[in-house]
Amino acid sequence: MKEIFDLIYTPLLETLFMVSLSSVFGFLLGFPLGIILFITQKNSLVPNLKLNSILDFIVNIGRSFPFIILMLILSPLSKLIVGTSIGNTATIVPLSIAAAPFIARVVESSLKEVSYGVIEASLSMGATTRQIIFKVLVPEALPSLILGMTLTIINLIGYSAIAGAIGAGGLGYLAIRYGYYGFDASVMLIAVIAIIILVQGVQSLGNKIAFKLLENR
């Protein structure tokens, strides 16, 4: 058991480092984008169909872009921001940018689930757009947002494994470099099991938080 722990300890930390930071940065990019997508749609708080169409197109492009291609294209940007285009720190840049459109859709979809009657009631009481967004819509949509973020983080774990295959470190690198290319099936199996446990842990935690929020309503 100690040998297994020693084997996966550093790759696991690298994966957690990449996924946690890219989740935070992806959220910072994707959350406002999702809010704007929601409020600018037809019959919403600040309708602006032209802006909505442009953002909708950008988000769709971002979601459909193959991650491994995105990672290669953004390597100059990674070098500009973090000083290197290789390694797990550099991978946080493409991971964050890949996460942002997914998070934007999660936010937009979650806000759409809130009953329009709640918005109308807030408007009738004189609430501003900002108040409706942050004091009504976001709290109402919070369980759905948590579940959506959970799925995004799980996607990022998968992306980090892909990034590992081309040298970013983490559990994916361990599986490919020492498992596949090193012809050591046991190493690959251990790395895959570690990724599965990580995904299960994230999903369980997300479900628990969302359920708790629903229970306390």
Side-chain angles (χ1 to χ4, degrees):
M1 183 60 78
K2 186 178 181 304
E3 289 179 356
I4 294 175
F5 181 77
D6 290 342
L7 180 68
I8 66 168
Y9 179 70
T10 300
L12 178 61
L13 287 184
E14 289 173 345
T15 296
L16 291 174
F17 172 70
M18 288 187 282
V19 172
S20 56
L21 283 185
S22 56
S23 298
V24 171
F25 291 127
F27 182 80
L28 292 176
L29 291 170
F31 183 77
L33 188 54
I35 294 282
I36 296 171
L37 274 170
F38 175 76
I39 64 173
T40 56
Q41 65 190 350
K42 189 178 179 183
N43 298 325
S44 192
L45 294 168
V46 190
N48 187 328
L49 295 185
K50 189 174 181 181
L51 176 61
N52 187 275
S53 298
I54 293 170
L55 293 179
D56 188 69
F57 178 74
I58 292 171
V59 166
N60 283 341
I61 293 291
R63 290 179 67 199
S64 56
F65 221 92
F67 176 69
I68 197 161
I69 303 295
L70 184 71
M71 193 174 166
L72 295 173
I73 289 173
L74 292 178
S75 59
L77 181 63
S78 298
K79 190 167 186 178
L80 182 69
I81 294 174
V82 299
T84 177
S85 59
I86 58 173
N88 47 63
T89 303
T91 307
I92 292 170
V93 175
L95 280 174
S96 302
I97 292 175
F102 283 96
I103 294 172
R105 281 290 182 228
V106 164
V107 173
E108 182 194 19
S109 300
S110 299
L111 297 182
K112 280 181 177 177
E113 291 176 11
V114 179
S115 168
Y116 193 73
V118 177
I119 299 174
E120 286 183 321
S122 303
L123 286 170
S124 67
M125 289 187 286
T128 63
T129 300
R130 180 186 289 269
Q131 288 171 328
I132 293 173
I133 292 169
F134 293 104
K135 293 187 177 180
V136 178
L137 291 173
V138 172
E140 283 289 321
L142 202 51
S144 177
L145 286 170
I146 296 292
L147 290 175
M149 274 301 298
T150 302
L151 288 176
T152 305
I153 292 171
I154 289 171
N155 275 340
L156 286 175
I157 293 172
Y159 284 167
S160 73
I162 295 171
I166 54 175
L171 293 168
Y173 180 76
L174 177 68
I176 297 294
R177 177 69 180 81
Y178 296 99
Y180 184 72
Y181 291 121
F183 299 104
D184 192 334
S186 61
V187 171
M188 183 180 284
L189 182 63
I190 289 168
V192 170
I193 290 173
I195 291 172
I196 291 171
I197 292 173
L198 191 57
V199 168
Q200 289 292 330
V202 170
Q203 186 66 65
S204 298
L205 181 63
N207 289 345
K208 192 172 181 180
I209 294 172
F211 181 75
K212 200 74 179 173
L213 288 169
L214 286 169
E215 201 177 40
N216 291 335
R217 283 187 170 178

